[in-house]
Amino acid sequence: MQGNLPPEAQEKIEQLQDLQETAQQVAVQKQEAESSLTEAENALEELENIDDDTAMYRQVGELLVETEYDEAEEELDDKVNSLEIRLETLEKQEDRVQDQFESLQEELEGLLGGGGGMGGPAGPGGPGAGGA
């Protein structure tokens, strides 16, 4: 079936498939980052409920190593900050891939005679009919 398409259209279809794979990979990475961020934020909240002199341990590979309260708090703060930055980066990458996908889709539709809107309402529109 693709043999009947012009080479330019076949190339666009391959690019769309590549972008779709990239979008899936970014979505998985984003989900993992969100999960790690939630864990780190929860640990930081729990840390606030613990006395400063309580014995604390952090995991180093397969071992638990004793650590100080301030050090544990600082490490968790750093982890939360870096995960927030990672999440922002992934969200921007996700937006960029979506824009490229939509642009390629429009180019492909143009090559194929402008068929019936492949991406129409599913695109990044607003909330639509937004109630009273």
Side-chain angles (χ1 to χ4, degrees):
M1 186 152 110
Q2 283 187 355
N4 298 335
L5 294 175
E8 203 175 343
Q10 288 178 356
E11 184 180 327
K12 299 287 182 206
I13 289 172
E14 289 173 12
Q15 290 174 347
L16 280 171
Q17 290 170 339
D18 289 345
L19 279 174
Q20 195 169 20
E21 282 181 37
T22 301
Q24 289 172 342
Q25 292 169 350
V26 170
V28 167
Q29 291 175 12
K30 183 180 168 188
Q31 192 172 28
E32 289 171 353
E34 286 172 338
S35 176
S36 294
L37 178 60
T38 300
E39 277 183 30
E41 287 173 335
N42 288 343
L44 203 51
E45 283 180 32
E46 285 300 317
L47 195 59
E48 292 173 8
N49 300 325
I50 296 174
D51 291 332
D52 292 5
D53 58 352
T54 301
M56 304 198 68
Y57 300 88
R58 63 182 168 95
Q59 189 168 351
V60 178
E62 296 294 321
L63 301 173
L64 290 177
V65 178
E66 192 167 4
T67 188
E68 298 294 321
Y69 180 95
D70 292 338
E71 190 177 328
E73 184 178 35
E74 186 178 331
E75 284 180 20
L76 280 171
D77 267 334
D78 289 347
K79 186 173 185 175
V80 166
N81 290 335
S82 67
L83 284 168
E84 287 173 342
I85 291 168
R86 173 85 175 127
L87 203 50
E88 274 182 44
T89 303
L90 288 168
E91 287 170 351
K92 288 177 184 176
Q93 187 176 358
E94 194 175 48
D95 290 343
R96 221 174 14 255
V97 168
Q98 179 66 29
D99 290 344
Q100 290 173 338
F101 188 88
E102 290 171 4
S103 175
L104 264 174
Q105 203 171 36
E106 288 174 13
E107 290 176 32
L108 182 60
E109 287 174 6
L111 286 172
L112 298 177
M118 286 170 65

